[in-house]
Amino acid sequence: MKNENIFSTKFQAGNRTYFLDVKTTKDGDRYLKISESKRTGETEFERHQIIVFDEGIDKLAEKITEVANKIRTDEKSYSVDEKRKTHRNAYQPWTDEDDNRLELLYCEGKSITELTELFGRNSGAIRSRIKKLELKEKYGTQHRV
């Protein structure tokens, strides 16, 4: 018996797509293949897969339910409103204008501390955006990110 696809489904969550495929091995044993696909460029994707065989399916379902319940019931240790008291733009999306301004100021040599003040975001958000925009590579290592 050849490898056979028994059932497939998929769903999107943010910028990732998840695929759940039930397949059979050459010997006829069933298994679950979970795949994650994330766009990393115009035509490039990053993919990850795990395979769970029949003997692990019940435990996997149990643990996913346990984790999902934990995520839904635990309160966050912070609130967005609390974060915005100290960083007015916390969790706001970055605009193209923000990105252009960040690149200009970073290129001019502004420190992370100065940038946090100017953008109303925490230092982690600034560092993350600098990395995403590849400014460190673009402008060399004169800045510490």
Side-chain angles (χ1 to χ4, degrees):
M1 178 183 248
K2 61 180 183 173
N3 285 21
E4 196 176 333
N5 200 20
I6 305 294
F7 174 80
S8 292
T9 188
K10 71 177 185 176
F11 64 94
Q12 281 199 278
N15 63 349
R16 299 167 194 269
T17 303
Y18 296 92
F19 302 88
L20 303 169
D21 301 302
V22 177
K23 298 183 168 240
T24 60
T25 65
K26 291 178 185 176
D27 296 331
D29 297 326
R30 290 184 176 192
Y31 65 93
L32 170 65
K33 182 172 88 171
I34 303 171
S35 306
E36 174 197 54
S37 180
K38 176 185 172 189
R39 184 180 296 272
T40 58
E42 187 78 24
T43 58
E44 297 85 35
F45 291 87
E46 183 179 296
R47 292 184 174 90
H48 302 279
Q49 297 179 345
I50 63 167
I51 293 175
V52 181
F53 288 93
D54 185 38
E55 64 268 11
I57 292 294
D58 290 336
K59 202 53 136 169
L60 175 66
E62 175 188 320
K63 292 301 179 181
I64 286 177
T65 300
E66 181 182 325
V67 168
N69 288 336
K70 185 76 171 163
I71 289 170
R72 286 188 202 111
T73 59
D74 279 0
E75 289 186 29
K76 291 182 179 178
S77 61
Y78 63 89
S79 74
V80 172
D81 291 336
E82 284 296 314
K83 289 286 185 184
R84 288 194 179 142
K85 286 179 182 175
T86 55
H87 300 97
R88 71 185 178 284
N89 291 318
Y91 300 100
Q92 294 287 350
W94 287 81
T95 65
D96 290 340
E97 184 181 320
D98 290 336
D99 288 344
N100 292 334
R101 185 171 168 229
L102 177 62
E103 183 173 355
L104 176 69
L105 294 170
Y106 183 77
C107 181
E108 289 176 355
K110 296 286 186 200
S111 70
I112 298 295
T113 304
E114 292 171 308
L115 294 170
T116 61
E117 295 288 322
L118 293 167
F119 286 91
R121 297 177 186 269
N122 72 26
S123 59
I126 298 293
R127 285 186 180 91
S128 177
R129 199 62 183 184
I130 287 168
K131 184 176 180 182
K132 182 175 175 87
L133 295 174
E134 299 177 345
L135 298 180
K136 185 175 183 182
E137 292 80 14
K138 200 174 192 180
Y139 295 106
T141 56
Q142 77 262 17
H143 296 84
R144 291 187 63 201
V145 178

